[in-house]
Amino acid sequence: MTSNIKIINGPNLNLLGEREKEKYGVLTLDKIKEKCEKFAQNNNQKLTFLQSNIEGEIVEEIQKCRK
């Protein structure tokens, strides 16, 4: 059975691996996305990924997931 998984990342997470590396590490959001997509593919899962710095876009996306 295939599941639909949506990963939503909020403000400033697009800067992972670039800012405050000593606090947040060096792994970029693109690398995290790549690892998640590989996991999903290997486990027959459907994955969509969203990053937004605009909280309203995130709220709208979460509300779409209710359907």
Side-chain angles (χ1 to χ4, degrees):
M1 183 171 130
T2 300
S3 297
N4 292 320
I5 301 168
K6 180 168 291 261
I7 298 176
I8 300 173
N9 292 281
N12 296 320
L13 288 178
N14 57 307
L15 299 175
L16 282 176
E18 296 177 21
R19 65 182 268 253
E20 297 184 77
K21 293 178 184 180
E22 66 283 348
K23 188 183 273 188
Y24 301 111
V26 297
L27 199 61
T28 66
L29 188 59
D30 284 339
K31 197 52 115 169
I32 293 169
K33 179 181 177 185
E34 182 181 302
K35 288 176 178 270
C36 290
E37 288 172 338
K38 186 174 184 179
F39 177 86
Q41 182 180 10
N42 289 340
N43 289 280
N44 196 33
Q45 305 299 309
K46 182 180 177 191
L47 176 71
T48 54
F49 210 86
L50 171 75
Q51 188 283 320
S52 179
N53 291 320
I54 302 169
E55 290 182 27
E57 288 180 2
I58 294 168
V59 171
E60 286 180 2
E61 195 65 31
I62 291 170
Q63 290 181 358
K64 286 180 194 174
C65 292
R66 294 177 62 220
K67 297 178 181 175

